[in-house]
Structures are given as structure tokens and as C-alpha cells.
Amino acid sequence: MPGWLVALLAVASGMTVANLYYAQPLLSSLRDAFHVSTTGAGWLITLTQVGYVVGMLFLVPLGDRLEKRRLITVLLAVTTVALVTAGLATNFPLLLTASLISGATSVVAQILVPFAASLAPDHARGRIVGRVMSGLLTGILLSRTLSSLVSDLAGWRVVYLGSAALMALLALALHAALPQHAPTTNIPYAHVLRSTVQLVRTHPELLRRGLYQAAMFGSFSAFWTTISYVLTGPRFHYSEVGVGIFALVGAAGAAIAPAAGHWADRKLTRPATGAALALAAVAFSLAGFGQHSIVLIALAAILIDMAVQATLILGQHTIYQLDHTARARLNSAFIATFFLGGALGSQLGSLIYNAEGWNAVTALGAALPLLALLYWTTERRDADGHLR
């Protein structure tokens, strides 16, 4: 697998998944522009992530059923139209609807990752998936900085319209560069959906890894959905640009992705998972104790992002070993499970912050990975290494 193709897949994954996060540092501006409450503005993040779950359940399984390059091109075209609609929205319900649709079709990132896994040789699959995922995770983190800077210079609408232009260019680039990849199954679409559910029943490891990541992504989403209110509030008085620059500290966590892939290749998945879950809980404790210290909050952001990214890479490496003919469907079930956790985390974070403040959000953020860590202690394997 040539290095330039790995780089293209990493950049493409980051660019598409960024669509889910552009609004996070803009919530204060969008709240004022459309005259909605803090909780109402939080629905924008929640519905975008719900759209992503819908796309994971109903669109990503098509990656096993259809020729992938054509599917990716069509989905990016729909994403482009939805982002243009969001950028021109004249009312909040229209913005919510467009965000729901763009969230659903931005699952292109989760078609590209199993695509990379299929093209990679067995001995290097963890490292290659780690590199592609580092691009995806960097896109998540840099999206906040980019959107805040663009919004400050040209307004929030240009954030959406600019992303629409990028998606159109990306559709052309991927269509030209990607190799054709034949479907791995020819069963009808309805059977593809049913088989995705069956995979969850057949492979207990799939559900377990999904629940680990749901807890981690729920805490991650609670942190990043509410941190803009903390930073723009009376404690720090940050501007939107300041919030975006702060988000850059989280990008340092993306460096863990290749290392996590290396740990997975060395069969260190279980101990590394436990360590990452514990690290996330510690990070939220730091964020709570250091609520008046930007240094401690920044350190917490880096540790949270490192922990979430490590468990994500370890989880994806694990599920891709379960059935090489169903990687898109395995990924669909895995990502849908943990994005439900992310959607819940976003909305709970907004509600709790509005009602009880930052300390309550950090308590929620610490509790979720601790619950996952308790679940991790129940993991038992047979002599062949299979989960039982």
C-alpha cells in the first residue's frame, strides 16, 4: 500500500469527520444568532452525531455491498449539498436538518478506514489503520480551531460553505485516486442490515469494544461541547478565536494513534485499554480540580484526547480481525454504538452544565470511563484467546 495513498486516506478521513465538529466552538454565536437557549444550541451537536449514527447503521454497511469508490463519491456529493444548505440557513430548524443530513453522509470517513484495513497487509494493518485514524482524529481536533478562526474572519456561514467546497474537491480527488474495490458480498441490502445485527450477536468482542468506546466518547463529547461555555464565560473571557486556539492543545493527543496501532500489533490490546480508561478518569479529575487554571484544563484536554484515541484504535484493530469479509458492517456496528454514547454525552453535558456547572460535567466525564473500567475487569478469555 503506497505511502501517498495512506496519506490521502488520512487527510480525507479528517476532512469529512470534521463536519461533525465545526459547530462546537460556535455554539455561543449560533445561540445568539438564532435566539435559542444554551440547551437548544446543544441540540445542533447532538443531532449531527445522531445523523452520524444513522449513517453508520444504514449507509456504511453498503461498503460491503457496493463498489466503494462510487459509494464514497455519491455520499460526498450529498454532504456538499447539505453543507451549502446549512451555510444559507435562515432559521434554526433548517440548520438542524441540514446538520443531521451532513452528519449522516460524513460517514465516508468510516468507509475509508475499513478500506485501508482491506488494502493493508496483515502484519502492518494496525500501523496503517493507526495512521489513517490519526488523520481522522486530527481532523476532529483541528476542526474546532479552523471553524473559530474562519468564523471570526468571515462569519459562521462561511465555515459551512467553505467545508462544502472542500467536500466537492475531495469527491473529485478520491474518485481519481482510489482503486476500484469489488464488493465482498452480493446479498440484498435488507440482508446486509440484518447481518450487521447478527454480527453483534455472533461476536461478543464487537459489543464489548463498542460499549468501552461509547463511555469514552460520551465523556469526550461532554467535555468539548461545554468547554466553549467555560472559556467564553466570566472565568477566562476567551473569544471564539481563543476557544479555537485552545482546541489545538487537544491535537497533541493525535500522536498516540500510531503508537496504539503498534501496541495492537504486539497484542497488548487489553492492558493498553485498561490504562486508557483509567487515564481518562484521571484527566477529568484534573479538569475539575483545575477549573480556574487554564494550564490544568489544557493538560486534561490532551490526556482525554489521548485516552479516547488509544481505545478507538485498539477497538478498531480488534474488530477488524473478527471477519475480513464484513469489515464495513463490523465498523458500522462499532461506530454506531459509540456515537450513540457521544450524542448522549453532548446532550447530557449541555443539560448538566446549564443546571449544575462545570464541576458536574467533569464528574460525569470521570464516571463514564470508570464504569467502562469496571466492565473491563469482567473480561475473560479462553485458552485460544477468544472472549467468553
Side-chain angles (χ1 to χ4, degrees):
M1 190 173 180
W4 66 265
L5 183 56
V6 177
L8 175 61
L9 291 172
V11 170
S13 297
M15 287 173 61
T16 51
V17 82
N19 294 321
L20 305 179
Y21 301 95
Y22 284 136
Q24 282 186 344
L26 308 180
L27 289 179
S28 296
S29 294
L30 293 170
R31 176 187 60 190
D32 297 339
F34 290 101
H35 308 291
V36 296
S37 66
T38 297
T39 303
W43 274 107
L44 184 63
I45 307 302
T46 301
L47 284 182
T48 304
Q49 292 180 337
V50 167
Y52 203 69
V53 172
V54 171
M56 290 303 306
L57 291 174
F58 295 100
L59 298 177
V60 171
L62 289 172
D64 289 333
R65 179 67 179 78
L66 302 177
E67 199 279 311
K68 289 182 178 64
R69 186 176 67 175
R70 184 179 304 170
L71 175 62
I72 288 166
T73 303
V74 170
L75 290 178
L76 286 174
V78 177
T79 307
T80 301
V81 174
L83 289 169
V84 169
T85 303
L88 301 177
T90 55
N91 57 72
F92 198 61
L94 181 59
L95 179 60
L96 289 175
T97 303
S99 298
L100 181 70
I101 294 170
S102 68
T105 53
S106 290
V107 294
V108 162
Q110 298 304 335
I111 297 174
L112 293 173
V113 174
F115 198 163
S118 297
L119 295 175
D122 290 342
H123 70 277
R125 182 166 293 115
R127 291 192 295 277
I128 288 176
V129 169
R131 288 170 188 163
V132 175
M133 286 301 299
S134 67
L136 184 148
L137 297 165
T138 301
I140 291 175
L141 298 167
L142 295 185
S143 61
R144 304 181 185 95
T145 303
L146 180 62
S147 68
S148 61
L149 291 173
V150 171
S151 177
D152 186 67
L153 292 172
W156 66 266
R157 294 184 185 276
V158 178
V159 174
Y160 288 101
L161 296 175
S163 182
L166 289 176
M167 292 303 101
L169 291 173
L170 187 59
L172 295 174
L174 289 174
H175 186 76
L178 290 178
Q180 287 194 328
H181 197 272
T184 57
T185 182
N186 59 3
I187 61 176
Y189 176 63
H191 293 177
V192 170
L193 297 182
R194 283 200 294 271
S195 69
T196 303
V197 176
Q198 186 60 40
L199 286 170
V200 178
R201 297 173 181 168
T202 304
H203 301 291
E205 187 81 352
L206 176 59
L207 179 59
R208 178 175 283 269
R209 297 304 314 194
L211 292 175
Y212 289 161
Q213 201 62 26
M216 293 291 276
F217 203 61
S219 62
F220 174 92
S221 297
F223 180 91
W224 285 107
T225 299
T226 56
I227 194 64
S228 62
Y229 299 130
V230 175
L231 297 179
T232 57
R235 293 172 188 163
F236 300 106
H237 302 285
Y238 276 35
S239 65
E240 282 183 358
V241 174
V243 175
I245 292 173
F246 174 84
L248 284 174
V249 303
I256 201 69
H262 182 64
W263 297 334
D265 286 336
R266 294 184 61 194
K267 304 189 184 306
L268 298 173
T269 297
R270 188 171 189 275
T273 299
L277 294 172
L279 179 64
V282 170
F284 271 98
S285 299
L286 277 179
F289 289 126
Q291 61 179 305
H292 299 293
S293 168
I294 194 63
V295 173
L296 286 179
I297 293 179
L299 177 60
I302 294 171
L303 296 178
I304 290 166
D305 290 348
M306 288 179 65
V308 172
Q309 292 175 28
T311 55
L312 178 57
I313 300 299
L314 294 166
Q316 287 191 300
H317 183 273
T318 299
I319 67 166
Y320 290 154
Q321 312 307 310
L322 300 176
D323 185 346
H324 73 277
T325 67
R327 285 187 174 130
R329 283 167 285 167
L330 290 165
N331 203 45
S332 169
F334 175 64
I335 303 292
T337 300
F338 84 69
F339 258 86
L340 280 174
L344 283 172
S346 294
Q347 196 58 26
L348 281 174
S350 295
L351 290 169
I352 290 173
Y353 182 81
N354 195 47
E356 302 293 337
W358 178 245
N359 279 341
V361 173
T362 59
L364 170 69
L368 291 174
L370 283 176
L371 288 172
L373 188 60
L374 287 174
Y375 184 39
W376 172 85
T377 63
T378 68
E379 192 172 306
R380 299 289 183 271
R381 296 182 180 275
D382 59 25
D384 295 325
H386 299 123
L387 193 70
R388 56 182 174 83

